[in-house]
Amino acid sequence: MADIAHIESISSLENLRYQVSSGVDQVYTSLQLVFNSIDHERTACDMYLTKGQSLVEKWSVRAESARRQAEAIQCELDNLPADDDQNDYSSQRAALTSKYEDAVSEAEEYESKRDAVAEITGQIAENIRQIGMACDTLLNYTLRAESEINNQGRNAVSAIDRVIVVARQYIARRLT
Amino acid sequence: MSQLMSAVQNVQSVAQSFDKAWNDVSGIWDDSVAQTFHSTYISPLSSEMGLYISRANANARDIEQYQSEVQELAQQLDRI
């Protein structure tokens, strides 16, 4: 760096300084965009997880309600008196049995939806976990790149500054 | 293309312009001075950025893939 004998022009050096300095600034700025994007990616999929969890809750509540209804109908069926010579409960029994079967079928349908939604939500959660890990890795790479740009890049600019000072002194000495 | 992938590609493009700018202006130096400066400051920075871009691109692609799977799964949720 000390050999400046062949440096002809301060303005060329200043141009070099500008190119290096602005290049370093641009790389630094573009790395900040990566940081912002990492934050964005971390939260982008969370809404799908929330949606999945609320759907699991929705179908669970419906399935439990249908199961309770089926149990209540079963109680009514159990409490129905046996037929005797004066009373025939067969039509009531048939109606309750049909209602019971509908309630059980409804509960099974809701349970099936709940399980399917839970399975998909689990896969979404796993993907979000992977995204989080990949974001952590990328964050570390980006922090390191930022540090290198700050250290090496700014050092390069400082080195050119020092050369410019020496070059100015050299030219001043030649002029006197 | 995801915002992240686009940000990483922006770093790549800026880093390439930086290398090109260096090549354009390095001619004003005496060869030995330019070489010393390059090997001290520019070359390590350039290799570090090259390594970063290669890792970041692979990483951003993985994230994009996971996100695309999440969107596909979300569509399955809508169909239930």
Side-chain angles (χ1 to χ4, degrees), chain A residues 1 3 6 12-13 15-16 19-20 23-24 26-27 30-31 33-34 37-38 40-41 44-45 48 51-52 55 113 116-117 120 123-124 127 130-131 134-135 137-138 141-142 144-145 148-149 152-153 155-156 159-160 162, chain B residues 2-5 7-8 10-12 14-15 17-18 21-22 25-26 28-30 32-33 36-37 40-42 44-45 48-49 51-52 55-57 59-60 62-63 65-71 73-74 76-78 80:
Chain A
M1 225 50 55
D3 182 9
H6 302 288
S12 296
L13 268 172
N15 179 36
L16 173 68
Q19 296 288 356
V20 173
V24 165
Q26 283 176 42
V27 174
S30 64
L31 287 173
L33 290 176
V34 175
S37 300
I38 290 172
H40 173 80
E41 305 302 339
C45 295
Y48 297 120
K51 181 181 177 179
L55 281 172
K113 286 187 176 185
V117 168
I120 292 169
Q123 288 175 33
I124 290 175
N127 271 47
Q130 296 287 350
I131 289 172
C135 281
T137 307
L138 184 55
Y141 293 156
T142 310
R144 180 177 162 159
E148 285 298 317
I149 274 288
Q152 287 290 96
N155 282 348
I160 300 170
R162 290 196 296 276
Chain B
S2 69
Q3 182 184 326
L4 179 63
M5 183 61 91
V8 169
N10 184 44
V11 176
Q12 183 167 14
V14 168
S17 327
F18 179 70
W22 163 256
V25 295
S26 62
I28 66 167
W29 296 75
D30 171 86
S32 63
V33 176
T36 306
F37 186 84
T40 307
Y41 297 108
I42 306 297
L45 196 55
E48 188 66 39
M49 289 312 297
L51 185 63
Y52 168 74
R55 286 168 161 179
N57 262 323
N59 214 269
D62 284 349
I63 292 170
Q65 177 61 33
Y66 288 129
Q67 274 185 336
S68 144
E69 284 173 21
V70 167
Q71 272 158 17
L73 289 163
Q76 288 180 30
L77 278 182
D78 287 336
I80 289 173

Side-chain angles (χ1 to χ4, degrees), chain A residues 94-114:
Chain A
L96 282 171
T97 303
S98 169
K99 272 177 74 180
Y100 172 80
E101 284 168 356
D102 287 349
V104 168
S105 162
E106 203 171 56
E108 284 171 353
E109 184 195 335
Y110 294 155
E111 282 161 358
S112 160
K113 286 187 176 185
R114 176 202 62 198

Side-chain angles (χ1 to χ4, degrees), chain A residues 6-62:
Chain A
H6 302 288
I7 298 172
E8 293 296 329
S9 161
I10 295 284
S11 69
S12 296
L13 268 172
E14 284 170 345
N15 179 36
L16 173 68
R17 187 201 184 281
Y18 171 77
Q19 296 288 356
V20 173
S21 173
S22 101
V24 165
D25 286 345
Q26 283 176 42
V27 174
Y28 184 84
T29 304
S30 64
L31 287 173
Q32 304 313 303
L33 290 176
V34 175
F35 282 126
N36 293 342
S37 300
I38 290 172
D39 284 343
H40 173 80
E41 305 302 339
R42 276 191 202 283
T43 54
C45 295
D46 284 352
M47 63 176 177
Y48 297 120
L49 184 61
T50 307
K51 181 181 177 179
Q53 286 164 340
S54 79
L55 281 172
V56 171
E57 179 66 20
K58 172 184 155 183
W59 294 120
S60 290
V61 167
R62 289 193 183 182

